[in-house]
Amino acid sequence: MELCLGKWNLGISGGAETSGHSRNSKHYTGKAADISCRMNPGLCDNPHKVLCCALFCGFKYAKDETKTDAPHIHVATVPEDDGSKGHLPNPCQCKDYK
């Protein structure tokens, strides 16, 4: 992700916590993380780029949560239980970032 984003020391605000998320959260099993907008100034000015980088880096699910009280982009190494990929874009929508 750092190479794709051109941002080193990427700030992660949520990793393998044991509480604070919904039941059966992928965070609890270490399969999800939150890329913090506050810890990475300017990064979330272009959430589409972050989502494209997540796709290129092999994440199977991502959600743009930049408009929340704790702005971040949620990424997971597995899709949701229903197979959803969330906000991961189609590779054709990411040609400017590869």
Side-chain angles (χ1 to χ4, degrees):
M1 286 291 290
E2 291 176 337
L3 183 61
C4 181
L5 293 169
K7 166 90 173 119
W8 311 119
N9 299 317
L10 196 61
I12 304 298
S13 59
E17 298 99 345
T18 57
S19 65
H21 294 279
S22 61
R23 186 178 214 195
N24 299 322
S25 170
K26 304 297 188 255
H27 285 277
Y28 300 150
T29 58
K31 295 178 182 170
D34 295 332
I35 301 169
S36 171
C37 295
R38 292 180 182 150
M39 295 170 70
N40 301 290
L43 186 70
C44 295
D45 292 347
N46 188 353
H48 181 71
K49 180 178 182 179
V50 180
L51 294 169
C52 285
C53 286
L55 176 71
F56 294 147
C57 290
F59 287 97
K60 304 298 182 198
Y61 179 88
K63 187 173 181 186
D64 178 353
E65 297 185 283
T66 58
K67 305 294 185 211
T68 64
D69 290 338
H72 64 279
I73 295 179
H74 172 85
V75 294
T77 59
V78 294
E80 286 293 288
D81 293 338
D82 64 1
S84 168
K85 296 179 180 185
H87 297 146
L88 279 179
N90 180 304
C92 295
Q93 297 171 309
C94 297
K95 61 184 179 193
D96 294 336
Y97 305 113
K98 193 159 187 178

